[in-house]
Amino acid sequence: WFAGKKYWWAWYVNIVSQFLWVTYGLITNQLGFVFSSAIYFVVFSKNATMWTKEYFKKTKSSEAISTITNVEGSIYKEKNESR
């Protein structure tokens, strides 16, 4: 659900859950769970890396735009006040 909502941290939740499945597979001696968890771990790690980079790239660019807007706004305000 979280990944569907495009939350960047959702993939880390999925990665943590794979450790639980590995534990379950080892305790119950069901190596299929361990094998599938390893595959999901690789997929989730790749997605986590990509989504985290994308999120912080957007965050930095939106912060830069916000800063530029604030600076321009204050310059514009100062010009109008001096008239």
Side-chain angles (χ1 to χ4, degrees), residues 30-46:
Q30 297 182 36
L31 299 181
F33 279 102
V34 176
F35 178 70
S36 64
S37 291
I39 293 171
Y40 279 118
F41 180 84
V42 170
V43 172
F44 293 159
S45 296
K46 182 179 177 184

Side-chain angles (χ1 to χ4, degrees), residues 7-20:
Y7 293 126
W8 65 273
W9 48 264
W11 295 108
Y12 297 101
V13 173
N14 289 328
I15 290 169
V16 170
S17 71
Q18 295 315 302
F19 290 108
L20 299 174

Side-chain angles (χ1 to χ4, degrees), residues 3 6 23 29 31 35 39 42 48 50 57 62 76:
K6 292 262 187 186
T23 304
N29 200 24
L31 299 181
F35 178 70
I39 293 171
V42 170
M50 289 182 352
K57 184 178 178 182
S62 66
Y76 179 76

Side-chain angles (χ1 to χ4, degrees), residues 56-68:
F56 283 107
K57 184 178 178 182
K58 285 181 182 178
T59 303
K60 286 182 182 179
S61 64
S62 66
E63 286 176 2
I65 290 170
S66 174
T67 303
I68 291 168

Side-chain angles (χ1 to χ4, degrees), residues 68-78:
I68 291 168
T69 304
N70 289 341
V71 169
E72 288 176 352
S74 64
I75 292 170
Y76 179 76
K77 189 176 181 181
E78 289 172 7

